[in-house]
Amino acid sequence: MAKEIYSTYPMVKYLRKEALPTALCPGCGGGTVLNAFANAVDQLKIDPRDLVVVSGIGCSAWIASPYFLADTLHTTHGRAIAFATGVKVGLPDKKVVVISGDGDLASIGGNHLIHAARRNIDITVILVNNFIYGMTGGQVAPTTPFGARTTTSPYRNIEHPLQISETVAAAGASYVARWTTAHVYQLIESIKKALTVKGFSLVEVISQCPVQFGRRNRMKEPAEMLRWFLKDSVPISKARNMSPEELEGKFVIGELVNRERPEFTEELNKLIDEVQEHFGLREE
Ligand SMILES: Cc1ncc(C[n+]2csc(CCOP(=O)(O)OP(=O)(O)O)c2C)c(N)n1
Ligand code: SF4
C-alpha cells in the first residue's frame, strides 16, 4: 500500500526511498511539513545538491533526516542551529535549512534560536510546533497552551506558552512567518520566501500530534486538530487590532516581518578582508 502511494506521489524524488514508509504516526503533521518543504524546493527549482538540511532530535527532526534526500546532518538534541551556523560559515554558498521541533529548537535549543536571529545569519529554520515533546511521550513544553493536558501536566498546564515567532522577530531576524498545517498553500509560499531572503528566516508551523497531544485534549482524530487550527487562527492584519485578552489561545498567522538587515556571513567575510588588508596578508 505505502509503495503504491509513493509510486504516484510527485515529490517522492526528494525523499530517501530506502527510508520509506516514514515512521511518523498516521495523521502526524510532520508529513504535511515534509510535503510543503519538498514543494517549495521543487517550485523554486533548487538543486537538492545545493542544500544542507540540519535537524536535532525528535519526531519532527526526522523530516530532514532520514527522509529528505539532500546532504543532511542529524545532530544532538537542541543543537541543530549551532551545527547549521558552522555549516553556513564554512560553506556560505550552500542553502542551509534547519527542520526540527519546538522542544528541540525553542526549549533546549532556545538560546541558539534567539542568537542566530540576532546575528541574522542566512539560514532558514522550519520549526514544527506541536506543543509538546512528541517523541519522548508527550511531556509539557514551553510551547504547551495554557490549560492543556500533557503527561507531565495531567490536570492542566499552568504556564503560558512562549510566543516563538514574536521572540525571533524581536531578536532581529530578516523574515518570520507563522502558519498551521491547515494552511498548506500559504505555508509553501512562506517557505519559498524564507528560502530566498538573505538573513535569518523562521517559518513556525503549528502542527498536530494527535497521538501525544490530541488524545489528551479531546482531539484524538487529526482532522479535529486541523479544525481547531482553522477555527482559532487569526490573520496578523486582524490581530493588530485585537487586545491581548482577545488573542489569548489564538494562532496569529501570516508574515510577522520581512525586512532587509545586514547578514552575518557577509559581515564576517568583510571583517576577514579588512583584517587581512591591515596586516598585508591578502593574496593578489
Ligand atoms: C540532551 C537530551 N535531552 C533529552 C533528550 C530526550 N529527547 C529526545 S527528543 C525530545 C523532545 C523532542 O520534542 P520536539 O523537539 O518538540 O519534537 P517532537 O518529537 O515533538 O516532534 C527529548 C526531550 C535527548 N535526546 N537529549
Ligand atoms: S508522536 Fe506525535 S509528533 Fe511523533 S510521529 Fe506520532 S503524531 Fe507525530
Side-chain angles (χ1 to χ4, degrees):
M1 179 63 182
K3 281 214 171 81
E4 278 165 37
I5 292 168
Y6 288 122
S7 67
T8 55
Y9 175 52
M11 295 302 128
V12 78
K13 60 188 172 195
Y14 297 107
L15 306 184
R16 286 202 180 96
K17 292 189 187 59
E18 64 277 17
L20 300 177
T22 75
L24 300 173
C25 306
C28 175
T32 305
V33 179
L34 175 57
N35 179 45
F37 178 58
N39 271 279
V41 168
D42 194 61
Q43 288 176 26
L44 290 175
K45 298 188 172 35
I46 294 173
D47 184 339
R49 284 173 296 192
D50 294 334
L51 283 170
V52 179
V53 193
V54 185
S55 63
I57 303 292
C59 303
S60 309
W62 289 335
I63 296 168
S65 149
Y67 303 127
F68 199 81
L69 183 56
D71 279 334
T72 53
L73 200 57
H74 208 131
T75 72
T76 46
H77 190 39
R79 305 293 168 243
I81 290 178
F83 279 83
T85 299
V87 173
K88 187 67 193 177
V89 169
L91 301 169
D93 294 335
K94 294 280 182 188
K95 267 200 189 306
V96 180
V97 181
V98 173
I99 309 179
S100 222
D102 51 302
D104 192 61
L105 293 171
S107 178
I108 186 172
N111 57 343
H112 298 296
L113 180 67
I114 290 166
H115 293 291
R118 177 182 62 80
R119 287 184 195 113
N120 203 31
I121 185 165
D122 188 23
I123 60 179
T124 295
V125 175
I126 301 173
L127 187 153
V128 184
N129 183 357
N130 59 14
F131 320 119
I132 37 103
Y133 299 119
M135 177 175 267
T136 44
Q139 294 85 356
V140 75
T143 44
T144 304
F146 183 80
R149 290 194 168 84
T150 71
T151 42
T152 49
S153 60
Y155 302 109
R156 64 183 172 89
N157 179 29
I158 55 166
E159 298 177 14
H160 290 271
L162 177 72
Q163 299 298 319
I164 298 172
S165 289
E166 286 76 0
T167 304
V168 169
S174 273
Y175 182 86
V176 179
R178 183 193 284 116
W179 294 104
T180 81
T181 47
H183 299 87
V184 178
Y185 287 103
Q186 297 95 324
L187 175 60
I188 294 171
E189 288 307 313
S190 249
I191 296 175
K192 282 162 63 183
K193 279 196 195 166
L195 288 170
T196 28
V197 299
K198 191 181 278 295
F200 190 83
S201 52
L202 170 82
V203 181
E204 178 185 354
V205 193
I206 303 294
S207 178
Q208 73 277 18
C209 169
V211 173
Q212 300 293 5
F213 185 88
R215 72 191 166 106
R216 294 193 174 87
N217 291 280
R218 298 186 182 164
M219 291 175 283
K220 67 179 183 344
E221 296 300 331
E224 291 174 84
M225 295 198 72
L226 292 173
R227 277 196 285 274
W228 171 42
F229 296 163
L230 287 173
K231 181 172 76 61
D232 281 357
S233 287
V234 178
I236 190 154
S237 51
K238 193 173 168 199
R240 288 199 177 110
N241 300 318
M242 290 169 71
S243 67
E245 292 73 32
E246 287 171 315
L247 286 171
E248 182 72 39
K250 301 285 187 217
F251 307 114
V252 176
I253 52 168
E255 270 179 19
L256 280 83
V257 290
N258 186 358
R259 60 193 170 195
E260 279 183 29
R261 289 192 63 239
E263 191 277 322
F264 179 78
T265 51
E266 277 189 1
E267 294 298 314
L268 178 67
N269 286 322
K270 266 195 254 169
L271 177 64
I272 291 170
D273 285 349
E274 280 167 31
V275 173
Q276 287 183 339
E277 176 109 32
H278 180 78
F279 289 102
L281 299 170
R282 290 191 71 172
E283 286 168 21
E284 296 309 323

